């Protein structure tokens, strides 16, 4: 495991620097002494449906809730993907990975004044892995391998594993696993959907629906001297144009999810050296997803033909100029330690650089399947960036093999609900990760009986076995080979396939200091170390 | 007049009942399931049992007739129920947003009326002169240019000229009048331009018609000052059709600010409507539709009553 983590650390560090994750100005700025005070106003381009990250898969929930809460561990963004303690002061992992013991910091307190003890951590993780009736936990499968949670004293938590999971420590650092009060959960297990009581650097002030959310400094925050800000205000700007205007006009000082290249260029042109641009590859991709329960997508030839008709390499060049889509890659973020190298990727179905030959083969497969003039509906999200250009691109790609596609876009909630209920034919889905570890990256493609987020609704025991074996494997090279085998099987069956990986561009006013760029927009949003250089 | 008003108010009851039945049934016909969207709409994998529990909690497992009866009983006591999404009272969800949209609509109306009356009058009085042509160009522009685009122009101009934008979070007028007006004057101008153009054209054509009436000729023949002829006789009568337009445009604004609200990032009723529809939040949509319908009825009644004020020949008994 040490070897695997070392590889992750070194390669990601090189990536961060190589991709401009940190520029000289930023490094220089961070060397300054932080100033205290002020209110950071930033844009959140979508409003959270509720306050509970345990049951959410959208950044809108995290950018809203993260400043109010803490997690057991968290990622150290300066040394990503290294983990560091958040509520945990120290931890030990059994050599055979059968148990994880966390020692909590002393004198932790929730915002309502009640102390945080190991019982709260246990209640939180029990809720995550085994949610009571009426509670949604989208992280249930992640913590399936935990056997028991013990709390020998108020500052010690021991997780005893029923199955070995080589990536468990990284999962404890997931930004979604925020710690709730056991007392609150006992009163109302679904309470966190509507009420906020955390231990984070900021205390909840108000949420004006459709307008904004705000927080004020937690004077009793457990990290000495933090936070620097007096408060923050997240403004819901649902339209990109309104958000850009607000940044340009100084109404908000940034948006931490990401903007498109065209939006970046507009801001740079208008604001010159007042705006800071940071870029990185992104742990996010768009997927082409076929619902195998619907005809003719139950036929592997149809799915494979449609995957093979897509010119990803050409599309990457065109789409990267107008959207946040950029890199061609397999199941793991291109350039990260476990990613499939380009030389191997091009041999997989759907990734050939000879698109003419690929499309000829696709036409043959469609004819063989008895659907040479296929028509279907592409289910998509109505977010301009990058869903709309991706949808238009796909419609055009499939038109070139004689397939007629109706492109339908929906608001986020009905878009996800339709897919989760299995009412789509073909959809543009997404894989939203917070790290590069394959235990997270591959989980979405497990049988739907195990992974409800698998919106192709496929059941494939072979994939499940490959995943489980790889999860227990601690040797890096063997693990890589297992990932390749998983990817090959998935792409040959073509249940779903990445279209392109995203490229993250974050624009902030130069007065915003201490915020750290990372390959995931889910990380680093507690704002504890952010300060304003005004 | 009082009897007429009472009659009209009573007549509004079957109108609103018809609206209630229509909106209730239409929302049940359209595809989509609020519970699915609510529990699975942000990626959650939820068991069918949980879905059924939520459906039961929201009363969606009851027969339609019972659901309608429950809702109607609530409406009769001005209790519009709770939002199925946020579980907060519908009236609470609507109130702050209605306040904003109503203020924009009122400001747009004031702006439109203050400019449209002199503009339309001047154009009619100086028919086929450069003043008239200028007014016609300006009003055609107002009718042709979508309000959201004009709004974007305003924003771009403010950014380019002053590198400044109005605030994007709402401050009620009773909290900080300056901040409130600084924010809302711009969207009011954006939607008010069209409003003003429509009203000015109506006043112009109406005034031209009135100026050819016999009573105007009579007044002039009697030697009444031209200023009085215009203000007391002509304009007063010419305003009658304009009042209808003003009333209709005002009610249209309340529900029709959707795109303009997005341009200015306003948290108004239009934005709420769009969000509610996308989430299939039945109770909230029903509440808003009923509110807007009641508003239409009220404004139409007000317009009819204003007719009597402006035209002494009109009497309601």
């Amino acid at each position: 495991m040490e070897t695997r983590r070392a590889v992750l650390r070194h390669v990601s560090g090189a990536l961060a620097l190589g991709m401009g994750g940190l520029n000289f100005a930023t490094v220089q700025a961070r060397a300054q002494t932080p100033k205290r005070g002020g209110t950071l106003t930033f844009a959140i381009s979508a409003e959270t449906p509720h306050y509970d990250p345990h049951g959410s898969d959208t950044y809108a929930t995290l950018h809203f809730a993260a400043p109010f809460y803490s997690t057991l561990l968290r990622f150290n963004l300066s040394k990503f993907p290294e983990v560091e303690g958040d509520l945990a002061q120290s931890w030990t992992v059994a050599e055979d990975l059968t148990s994880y013991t966390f020692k909590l910091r002393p004198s932790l307190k929730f915002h309502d004044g009640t102390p945080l003890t190991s019982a709260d951590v246990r209640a939180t993780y029990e809720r995550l892995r085994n949610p009571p009736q009426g509670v949604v936990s989208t992280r249930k499968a992640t913590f399936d391998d935990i056997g028991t949670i013990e709390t020998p004293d108020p500052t010690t938590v021991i997780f005893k594993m029923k199955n070995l999971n080589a990536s468990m420590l990284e999962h404890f650092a997931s930004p979604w696993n925020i710690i709730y009060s056991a007392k609150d959960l006992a009163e109302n297990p679904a309470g966190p959907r509507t009420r906020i009581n955390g231990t984070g650097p900021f205390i909840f002030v108000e949420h004006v629906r459709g307008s904004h959310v705000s927080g004020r400094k937690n004077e009793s925050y457990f990290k000495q001297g933090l936070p620097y800000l007096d408060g923050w205000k997240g403004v819901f700007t649902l339209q990109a144009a309104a958000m850009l205007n607000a940044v340009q006009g100084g109404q908000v000082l940034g948006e931490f999810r990401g903007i498109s290249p065209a939006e970046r260029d507009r801001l740079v042109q208008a604001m010159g050296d007042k705006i800071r641009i940071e870029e990185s590859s992104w742990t996010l991709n768009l997927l082409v997803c076929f619902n195998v329960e619907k005809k003719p997508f139950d036929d592997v030839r149809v799915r494979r033909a449609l995957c093979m008709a897509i010119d990803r390499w050409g599309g990457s060049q065109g789409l990267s100029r107008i959207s946040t889509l950029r890199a061609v890659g397999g199941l793991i973020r291109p350039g990260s330690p476990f990613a499939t190298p380009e030389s191997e990727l091009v041999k997989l179905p759907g990734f050939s650089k000879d698109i003419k030959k690929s499309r000829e083969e696709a036409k043959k497969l469609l004819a063989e399947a008895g659907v040479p003039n296929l028509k279907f509906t592409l289910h998509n999200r109505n977010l301009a960036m990058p869903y709309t250009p991706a949808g238009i691109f796909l419609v055009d790609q499939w038109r070139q093999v004689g397939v007629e596609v109706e492109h339908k876009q929906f608001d986020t909630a009905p878009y996800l609900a339709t897919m989760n209920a299995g009412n789509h034919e073909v959809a543009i889905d997404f894989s939203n990760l917070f790290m590069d570890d394959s235990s997270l990256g591959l989980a979405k493609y497990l049988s739907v009986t195990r992974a409800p987020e698998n919106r192709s609704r496929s059941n494939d025991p072979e994939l499940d076995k490959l995943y489980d074996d790889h999860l227990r494997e601690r040797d890096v090279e063997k693990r890589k080979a297992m990932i390749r085998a998983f990817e090959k099987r998935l792409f040959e069956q073509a249940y779903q396939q990445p279209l392109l990986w995203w490229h993250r561009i974050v624009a902030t006013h130069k007065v915003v200091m201490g915020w750290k760029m990372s390959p995931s927009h889910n990380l680093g949003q507690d704002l504890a170390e952010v300060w304003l250089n005004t | 007049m009082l009897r007429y008003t009472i009659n009209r108010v009573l007549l509004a009851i079957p109108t609103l009942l018809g609206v209630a039945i229509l909106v209730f049934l239409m929302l049940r016909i359209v595809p989509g399931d609020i519970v699915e969207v609510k529990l699975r709409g942000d990626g959650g994998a939820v068991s069918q049992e949980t879905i059924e529990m939520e459906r039961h909690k929201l009363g969606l497992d009851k027969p339609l007739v019972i659901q309608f009866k429950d809702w109607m009983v609530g409406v009769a006591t001005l209790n519009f129920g709770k939002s199925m999404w946020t579980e907060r009272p519908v009236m609470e969800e609507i109130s702050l947003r209605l306040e904003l949209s109503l203020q924009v609509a009122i400001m747009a109306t004031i702006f439109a009326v203050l400019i449209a009356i002199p503009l339309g009058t001047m154009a009619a009085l100086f028919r086929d002169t450069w003043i008239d042509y200028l007014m016609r160009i300006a009003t055609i522009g107002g009718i042709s240019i979508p309000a959201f685009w004009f709004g974007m122009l305003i924003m771009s101009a403010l950014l380019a000229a002053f590198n400044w934008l109005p605030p994007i979070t709402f401050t009620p007028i009773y909290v900080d009048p300056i901040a409130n007006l600084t924010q809302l004057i711009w969207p009011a101008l954006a939607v008010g331009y069209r409003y003003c153009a429509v009203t000015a054209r109506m006043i112009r054509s109406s005034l031209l018609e009135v100026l050819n009436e016999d009573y105007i000729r009579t007044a002039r023949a009697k030697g009444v000052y031209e200023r009085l002829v215009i203000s007391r006789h002509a304009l007063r009568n010419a305003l009658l059709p304009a009042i209808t337009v003003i009333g209709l445009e005002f009610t249209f604004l309340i529900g029709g600010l959707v795109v303009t609200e997005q341009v200015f990032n306003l948290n108004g009723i239009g934005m709420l409507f769009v969000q509610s529809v996308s989430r299939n939040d039945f109770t909230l949509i029903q509440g808003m539709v009923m509110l807007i319908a009641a508003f239409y009825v009220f404004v139409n009644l007000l317009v009819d009553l204003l007719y009597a004020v402006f035209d002494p020949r009109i009497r309601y008994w």
Side-chain angles (χ1 to χ4, degrees):
Chain A
M1 191 173 66
E2 278 308 305
T3 323
R4 190 175 60 80
R5 205 162 282 143
V7 171
L8 279 169
R9 220 179 0 253
H10 290 132
V11 179
S12 298
L15 259 176
L17 288 171
M19 291 185 163
L22 292 171
N23 59 37
F24 177 69
T26 314
V27 173
Q28 198 179 33
R30 280 175 195 152
Q32 293 179 21
T33 309
K35 293 176 184 167
R36 296 188 179 277
T39 299
L40 171 75
T41 304
F42 62 95
I44 308 176
S45 55
E47 186 170 4
T48 185
H50 56 77
Y51 306 164
D52 181 10
H54 288 188
S56 177
D57 202 20
T58 166
Y59 74 97
T61 310
L62 274 185
H63 286 208
F64 181 107
F68 305 126
Y69 288 105
S70 310
T71 47
L72 205 48
L73 300 178
R74 65 178 200 167
F75 285 94
N76 178 340
L77 297 186
S78 304
K79 299 172 185 173
F80 183 77
E82 194 174 298
V83 297
E84 62 182 13
D86 196 13
L87 290 173
Q89 191 167 46
S90 60
W91 62 94
T92 52
V93 182
E95 187 54 39
D96 57 0
L97 301 187
T98 52
S99 74
Y100 295 78
T101 304
F102 295 93
K103 203 78 190 161
L104 302 178
R105 292 171 192 260
S107 312
L108 293 167
K109 271 189 180 170
F110 284 100
H111 294 160
D112 68 358
T114 57
L116 183 149
T117 68
S118 52
D120 300 299
V121 178
R122 184 175 61 194
T124 296
Y125 275 88
E126 292 293 1
R127 183 181 192 262
L128 277 162
R129 73 194 188 109
N130 190 19
Q133 196 61 257
V135 170
V136 180
S137 167
T138 49
R139 319 259 116 61
K140 189 175 183 295
T142 308
F143 297 107
D144 263 356
D145 289 329
I146 295 174
T148 56
I149 306 170
E150 295 170 9
T151 51
D153 64 63
T155 57
T156 309
V157 193
I158 305 168
F159 292 87
K160 295 215 162 150
M161 309 299 292
K162 62 182 177 198
N163 287 312
L164 189 149
N165 185 328
S167 314
M168 207 60 217
L169 207 59
E170 281 82 1
H171 284 291
F172 283 123
S174 158
W176 303 99
N177 308 334
I178 55 177
I179 305 296
Y180 295 133
S181 146
K183 177 178 70 72
D184 291 350
L185 294 181
E187 280 168 17
N188 179 8
R193 283 179 76 88
T194 51
R195 180 176 176 247
I196 290 176
N197 179 30
T199 48
F202 295 92
I203 297 171
F204 177 76
V205 173
E206 64 173 356
H207 171 204
V208 179
R209 286 178 200 283
S211 175
H212 65 272
V213 54
S214 60
R216 67 178 159 83
K217 181 178 184 167
N218 176 8
E219 301 287 354
S220 313
Y221 186 48
F222 59 83
K223 288 182 186 166
Q224 207 71 40
L226 295 178
Y228 297 120
L229 294 168
D230 286 339
W232 59 274
K233 187 174 184 179
V235 180
F236 311 126
T237 49
L238 305 175
Q239 290 295 313
M243 188 270 284
L244 286 185
N245 283 340
V247 172
Q248 194 181 330
Q251 295 281 333
V252 298
L253 298 178
E255 194 264 358
F256 297 116
R257 178 173 177 259
I259 58 172
S260 72
E263 290 163 346
R264 170 198 60 199
D265 295 345
R266 184 197 135 173
L267 285 178
V268 169
Q269 194 185 15
M271 298 178 69
D273 64 357
K274 286 184 185 146
I275 193 87
R276 178 194 299 119
I277 303 291
E278 293 176 274
E279 302 195 21
S280 165
S281 60
W282 205 338
T283 52
L284 239 176
N285 67 50
L286 286 190
L287 294 159
V288 181
C289 171
F290 304 99
N291 184 349
V292 300
E293 289 175 352
K294 302 260 180 183
K295 283 193 176 302
F297 308 105
D298 56 343
D299 187 333
V300 65
R301 291 170 299 184
V302 176
R303 301 194 300 263
R304 207 162 156 174
L306 292 173
C307 285
M308 291 174 78
I310 304 166
D311 178 11
R312 288 175 171 79
W313 302 97
S316 140
Q317 288 181 9
L319 287 169
S320 65
R321 285 197 288 269
I322 59 161
S323 76
T324 49
L325 294 171
R326 182 176 285 195
V328 181
L331 298 179
I332 307 293
R333 180 170 64 112
S336 66
F338 288 99
T340 307
E342 190 178 312
S343 56
E344 286 183 46
L345 197 65
V346 292
K347 294 176 194 159
L348 294 169
F351 289 87
S352 168
K353 287 196 172 177
D354 187 349
I355 190 62
K356 205 175 159 192
K357 194 176 154 197
S358 225
R359 283 190 183 140
E360 285 309 314
E361 207 174 323
K363 283 180 190 167
K364 267 189 219 161
L365 283 170
L366 288 174
E368 273 174 33
V371 285
N373 301 311
L374 181 62
K375 286 181 187 175
F376 63 83
T377 302
L378 176 67
H379 180 82
N380 197 3
R381 191 177 186 178
N382 70 352
L383 278 187
M385 198 50 61
Y387 292 84
T388 304
I392 294 166
F393 170 73
L394 281 177
V395 170
D396 179 60
Q397 295 293 296
W398 288 328
R399 183 187 55 80
Q400 295 183 50
V401 289
V403 175
E404 198 181 308
V405 182
E406 188 186 356
H407 184 200
K408 282 193 175 173
Q409 294 188 264
F410 300 86
D411 276 348
T412 299
Y415 155 80
L416 285 171
T418 302
M419 286 198 297
N420 289 338
N423 292 332
H424 59 293
E425 287 184 298
V426 180
I428 293 185
D429 194 7
F430 59 90
S431 173
N432 176 15
L433 311 170
F434 59 85
M435 62 174 173
D436 294 315
D437 194 278
S438 51
S439 62
L440 184 69
L442 304 189
K444 188 177 174 66
Y445 311 99
L446 296 173
S447 292
V448 69
T449 45
R450 284 183 60 181
E453 70 271 25
N454 170 4
R455 287 156 189 148
S456 77
R457 307 182 76 76
S458 60
N459 279 293
D460 191 329
E462 195 177 325
L463 280 178
D464 295 349
K465 185 175 182 319
L466 279 166
Y467 179 81
D468 288 339
D469 290 348
H470 119 285
L471 210 57
R472 322 285 176 231
E473 183 54 63
R474 300 169 73 179
D475 181 274
V476 171
E477 289 311 314
K478 283 184 187 165
R479 192 171 168 130
K480 276 186 183 174
M482 289 170 160
I483 295 168
R484 301 284 178 281
F486 185 99
E487 203 168 50
K488 188 167 183 289
R489 168 77 187 171
L490 181 73
F491 293 172
E492 278 172 354
Q493 292 302 310
Y495 305 121
Q496 47 190 327
Q497 214 174 49
L499 175 62
L500 288 170
W501 286 76
W502 297 29
H503 180 75
R504 191 177 182 207
I505 304 169
V506 174
T508 47
H509 280 236
K510 282 199 173 160
V511 295
V512 179
M513 312 292 269
W515 179 82
K516 288 178 185 139
M517 181 68 169
S518 74
S520 169
H521 62 305
N522 298 316
L523 299 175
Q525 284 309 125
D526 73 356
L527 308 178
E529 292 172 36
V530 175
W531 55 281
L532 297 176
N533 193 17
T534 49
Chain B
M1 183 80 104
L2 183 66
R3 211 169 72 183
Y4 174 80
T5 309
I6 293 168
N7 276 342
R8 285 287 299 268
V9 170
L10 289 175
L11 270 174
I13 293 171
T15 309
L16 292 174
L17 188 65
V19 171
I21 294 169
L22 264 178
V23 70
F24 183 87
L25 291 178
M26 282 168 78
L27 284 171
R28 268 65 186 178
I29 291 166
V30 292
D33 181 344
I34 166 78
V35 180
E36 286 274 356
V37 172
K38 185 178 176 183
L39 296 183
R40 291 178 166 160
D42 65 337
V46 187
S47 68
Q48 198 53 38
E49 206 180 354
T50 305
I51 298 251
E52 293 310 324
M53 265 179 63
E54 184 71 16
R55 197 165 272 136
H56 176 71
K57 195 175 98 184
L58 297 175
L60 291 170
D61 54 352
K62 291 180 189 170
L64 276 187
V65 180
I66 304 294
Q67 287 184 46
F68 184 71
K69 186 211 79 184
D70 290 350
W71 179 51
M72 277 292 100
V73 169
V75 171
T77 54
L78 290 181
N79 173 8
F80 287 80
K82 286 183 177 176
S83 155
M84 289 182 170
W85 190 274
T86 64
E87 293 173 26
R88 296 201 314 178
V90 165
M91 288 313 287
E92 196 180 308
E93 290 282 353
I94 293 175
S95 56
L96 182 69
R97 299 183 174 209
L98 184 66
E99 178 188 333
L100 188 152
S101 297
L102 203 59
Q103 196 188 332
V104 173
I106 289 170
M107 284 167 71
T109 306
I110 293 169
F111 163 74
V113 171
L114 285 182
I115 295 180
I117 292 175
L119 201 68
T121 310
M122 295 283 280
L125 294 179
F126 298 96
R127 188 183 181 180
D128 293 333
T129 64
W130 65 270
I131 295 173
D132 187 24
Y133 290 134
L134 205 66
M135 176 268 185
R136 283 201 233 171
I137 291 168
T139 53
I140 285 171
I143 292 165
S144 322
I145 297 171
F148 77 88
W149 193 71
F150 189 51
M152 282 160 76
L153 279 184
I154 291 175
M155 299 279 264
S156 303
L158 289 172
L159 268 176
F162 309 107
N163 198 27
W164 178 88
L165 274 184
I168 53 173
T169 50
F170 179 57
T171 311
I173 196 159
Y174 45 83
V175 174
D176 185 344
I178 302 294
N180 174 277
L181 293 174
T182 311
Q183 182 190 25
L184 298 189
I185 189 81
W186 311 103
L189 277 177
V191 293
Y193 183 24
R194 180 187 180 279
Y195 196 164
C196 173
V198 172
T199 313
R201 285 178 72 85
M202 175 57 76
I203 288 169
R204 176 187 177 273
S205 60
S206 181
L207 195 60
L208 284 174
E209 209 173 297
V210 169
L211 286 172
N212 288 326
E213 294 287 337
D214 288 343
Y215 61 87
I216 297 294
R217 257 192 295 275
T218 309
R220 280 178 176 151
K222 280 162 63 182
V224 177
Y225 290 119
E226 185 63 12
R227 188 171 50 82
L228 287 180
V229 170
I230 300 301
S231 62
R232 192 169 293 171
H233 299 285
L235 194 55
R236 194 165 170 163
N237 286 292
L239 277 177
L240 286 176
I243 289 168
T244 312
V245 169
I246 291 166
L248 285 176
E249 283 285 323
F250 182 75
T251 43
F252 173 75
L253 273 185
I254 294 294
L257 278 168
V258 180
V259 188
T260 311
E261 281 177 4
Q262 298 205 356
V263 171
F264 290 93
N265 210 56
L266 295 178
N267 186 25
I269 200 91
M271 203 103 104
L272 183 65
F273 213 103
V274 171
Q275 282 171 358
S276 309
V277 169
S278 79
R279 291 167 172 176
N280 289 355
D281 194 342
F282 294 165
T283 42
L284 197 49
I285 299 169
Q286 286 166 189
M288 281 189 284
V289 171
M290 289 308 290
L291 200 80
I292 291 170
F295 206 72
Y296 263 91
V297 169
F298 170 74
V299 171
N300 275 310
L301 173 63
L302 198 70
V303 165
D304 287 347
L305 296 179
L306 277 175
Y307 264 56
V309 175
F310 280 87
D311 189 345
R313 292 169 300 176
I314 300 172
R315 285 286 174 269
Y316 299 114
W317 305 109

